[in-house]
């Protein structure tokens, strides 16, 4: 996996430290990092233990998903092309409850500390904020920052001074407008499949999501890792 590195302040952007141990993620020639996926996995496994506890381990069945997300984050155009991932779109990560979507999105962004990535915001928290603050919340999340909206589809319907609102649906429309104008990306994790997303947010939003996202899916039979 190759990645152009624009960081001039860190002479060793390919070396990350976790728990006092240095992890070399690949080779750096001063301009580009040639990532070694197995070394990236070793780092992610160590970082995962730091974030989620010593019982954390990357499962064999999840390695392909980690490869896709890691290739995407380091902007490896060749690998992404082979896996049909468009670097100009965001990530829509789907899978059953407890399969590890949120943990994975929290974890993989650490392999590129020299780059700005995304802020993870639970969709339900946005709806709760809308219920208190109102429509300003929709404006706030239509701004120029990169977000990962977590657990899309489990949030309640918004209600402000008697008005019902499909808050996340409206935010996704705003994010689509932003994407069209500026190419700023949005990412999502969800338990819902395509049909369920359309039922929840309507065909208008679903059509825009096709333009905005790469679909990366866990197998529907993936076990709940929280049990």
């Amino acid at each position: 996996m190759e990645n152009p590195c624009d960081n001039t302040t860190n002479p060793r952007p390919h070396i990350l430290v976790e728990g006092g141990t240095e992890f070399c993620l690949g080779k750096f020639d001063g301009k580009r990092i040639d990532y070694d996926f197995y070394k990236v996995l070793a780092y992610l496994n160590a970082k995962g233990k730091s974030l989620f506890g010593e019982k954390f381990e990357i499962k064999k069945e999840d390695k392909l998903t980690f490869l896709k997300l890691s290739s995407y984050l380091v902007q490896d155009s060749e690998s992404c092309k082979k896996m049909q991932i468009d670097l100009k779109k965001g990530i829509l990560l789907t899978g059953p409850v407890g399969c590890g979507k949120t943990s994975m999105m929290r974890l993989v962004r650490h392999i590129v500390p020299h780059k700005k990535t995304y802020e993870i915001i639970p969709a339900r928290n946005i709806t709760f904020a809308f219920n208190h603050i109102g429509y300003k919340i929709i404006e706030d999340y239509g701004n120029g920052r990169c977000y990962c909206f977590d657990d899309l589809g489990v949030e309640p319907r918004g209600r402000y001074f008697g008005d019902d609102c499909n808050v996340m649906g409206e935010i996704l429309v705003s994010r689509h407008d932003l994407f069209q104008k500026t190419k700023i990306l949005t990412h999502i994790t969800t338990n819902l499949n395509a049909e369920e997303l359309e039922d929840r947010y309507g065909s208008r939003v679903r059509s825009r999501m096709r333009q905005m996202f790469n679909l990366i899916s866990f197998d529907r039979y993936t076990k709940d890792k929280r049990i």
Side-chain angles (χ1 to χ4, degrees), residues 72-90:
Y72 175 85
L73 278 175
V74 304
Q75 298 284 286
D76 181 354
S77 57
E78 185 176 338
S79 294
C80 285
K81 186 176 181 180
K82 290 178 181 177
M83 294 183 287
Q84 298 183 314
I85 297 172
D86 187 341
L87 292 173
K88 295 179 181 179
K89 294 183 178 183

Side-chain angles (χ1 to χ4, degrees), residues 103-118:
S103 297
M104 193 173 281
M105 291 301 285
R106 285 182 60 194
L107 179 56
V108 293
R109 58 185 176 169
H110 289 281
I111 64 176
V112 284
H114 55 285
K115 289 190 172 188
K116 290 182 179 179
T117 55
Y118 47 84

Side-chain angles (χ1 to χ4, degrees), residues 22 52 83 103 194 209 224:
E22 284 194 350
F52 311 120
M83 294 183 287
S103 297
M209 291 178 74
D224 189 336

Side-chain angles (χ1 to χ4, degrees), residues 119-205:
E119 182 180 356
I120 300 176
I121 309 289
R124 64 196 303 269
N125 289 7
I126 297 174
T127 301
F128 291 151
F130 173 87
N131 293 344
H132 289 285
I133 299 172
Y135 289 90
K136 184 178 182 299
I137 286 295
I138 295 174
E139 296 176 11
D140 290 346
Y141 285 101
N143 65 24
R145 299 178 66 180
C146 185
Y147 294 107
C148 175
F149 296 127
D150 188 37
D151 267 345
L152 184 76
V154 302
E155 75 280 0
R157 196 166 181 85
R159 189 171 180 82
Y160 184 69
F161 280 98
D163 290 336
D164 287 337
C165 179
N166 191 329
V167 178
M168 290 308 303
E170 293 301 322
I171 287 175
L172 288 173
V173 170
S174 295
R175 297 295 297 184
H176 177 265
D177 292 342
L178 184 70
F179 171 71
Q180 293 284 79
K181 294 175 183 176
T182 66
K183 302 304 178 185
I184 291 174
L185 301 177
T186 305
H187 309 298
I188 284 173
T189 74
T190 183
N191 303 329
L192 305 185
N193 60 34
E195 292 74 21
E196 290 168 332
L197 284 169
E198 185 163 340
D199 288 343
R200 182 75 169 77
Y201 299 104
S203 58
R204 179 184 64 150
V205 172

